[in-house]
Amino acid sequence: QVQLVESGGGLVQAGGSLRLSCAASGTIFSLNAMGWYRQSPGNQRELVASITSGGGTNYADSVKGRFTISRNNAKNTVYLQMNSLKPEDTAVYYCHADYLATILRNLELWGQGTLVTVSS
């Protein structure tokens, strides 16, 4: 019963902040890269930010300087701190994880999404 549970979405005014959380539960040997994707109506899903098991990060150009991805390996949790939010950030945000179910079994997992709405 491995799953990703997302939380933290909501409604915020432009310029405000939100923190998204994504916790992995179940039998997991180790978490590898984790990331946040988003999808808004009429658009394709896009990568927002990713973080490796060692802490290396990558961001979409549209969120650099505003968003910060981090992880707490002890809690199998990844976070996305979103500051200076813009209406263009409005989307459903999905957590993604690459993980080792066993030392030889590499799998991927998606969260169910959390809605972020930024009003102008």
Side-chain angles (χ1 to χ4, degrees):
Q1 53 176 210
V2 178
Q3 63 178 2
L4 299 177
V5 179
E6 303 170 15
S7 63
L11 175 65
V12 65
Q13 294 183 356
S17 299
L18 285 174
R19 171 171 279 217
L20 306 183
S21 298
C22 174
S25 63
T27 302
I28 299 172
F29 180 76
S30 67
L31 285 168
N32 298 324
M34 302 187 73
W36 289 94
Y37 292 73
R38 67 185 181 188
Q39 186 169 18
S40 57
N43 296 321
Q44 186 73 309
R45 182 179 55 193
E46 64 174 346
L47 175 67
V48 177
S50 63
I51 185 167
T52 68
S53 60
T57 58
N58 187 51
Y59 297 93
D61 288 340
S62 60
V63 306
K64 286 182 178 178
R66 299 189 297 120
F67 291 10
T68 302
I69 188 170
S70 61
R71 62 193 292 165
N72 185 328
N73 291 331
K75 296 182 177 180
N76 286 339
T77 301
V78 64
Y79 306 94
L80 185 67
Q81 179 66 47
M82 304 184 294
N83 298 325
S84 301
L85 283 163
K86 304 175 180 179
E88 305 92 273
D89 296 318
T90 296
V92 177
Y93 284 70
Y94 297 92
C95 179
H96 179 267
D98 290 315
Y99 71 99
L100 295 176
T102 71
I103 194 169
L104 297 176
R105 187 169 171 78
N106 198 162
L107 301 175
E108 64 176 337
L109 189 64
W110 287 96
Q112 293 188 329
T114 184
L115 177 63
V116 172
T117 302
V118 184
S119 62
S120 60

